[in-house]
Each structure stands twice: as C-alpha cells, then as structure tokens.
Amino acid sequence: MESFEIQLLEDHFKIEPLENGLYRILEGENKLGVIYAEADGDQVVWETQDELDYDFVQQIGELITEHNM
C-alpha cells in the first residue's frame, strides 16, 4: 500500500501503511507513533503502544478507515 495524507482539524499527517495492519503516523518528518485496529465485539477500536492520546488515536484511526473504503 502507498502512503497517504489525512487532515485532522488544521493538522496534516502522513500515513504509512505497514505489514499486518499497522499504520505509522508522521507529522512532517517526525514519527508520532504506530497504530492498529482491534476488534472489540462489533466495534473497531484503534490501539497503539506509543505514548499517544487515546482520542487522537481513535480520530486518526477513523480517518484511516474512511480513506480505505
């Protein structure tokens, strides 16, 4: 998969799809972290092992889901 850009409010982020459903989040040249989707019952919850705010991860994850549709 190729990298793509998303916008959250006034901020622009580069998303780099990795193997196994992982997504690297970059702001400019700075890596913010890696996120991934987890099934939680009938919902999808976005997770990270990096120090990112839960709400930020969910919002970025939703934008990735919309992009992939």
Side-chain angles (χ1 to χ4, degrees), residues 6 12-16 18 23-35 46 48 50 52 56-57 60-61 64:
I6 60 173
H12 295 267
F13 301 96
K14 182 176 181 181
I15 308 299
E16 294 181 342
L18 305 172
Y23 294 88
R24 180 180 296 130
I25 313 299
L26 298 137
E27 186 172 24
E29 296 297 318
N30 298 322
K31 176 187 167 194
L32 299 179
V34 174
I35 68 173
W46 287 84
T48 185
D50 297 302
L52 296 172
F56 174 77
V57 171
I60 293 291
I64 291 171

Side-chain angles (χ1 to χ4, degrees), residues 1 26 29 32 44 49 51 69:
M1 294 181 81
L26 298 137
E29 296 297 318
L32 299 179
V44 173
Q49 293 183 353
E51 293 190 22
M69 290 185 153

Side-chain angles (χ1 to χ4, degrees), residues 7-20:
Q7 181 176 346
L8 178 60
L9 302 174
E10 295 180 11
D11 297 317
H12 295 267
F13 301 96
K14 182 176 181 181
I15 308 299
E16 294 181 342
L18 305 172
E19 305 260 333
N20 301 325

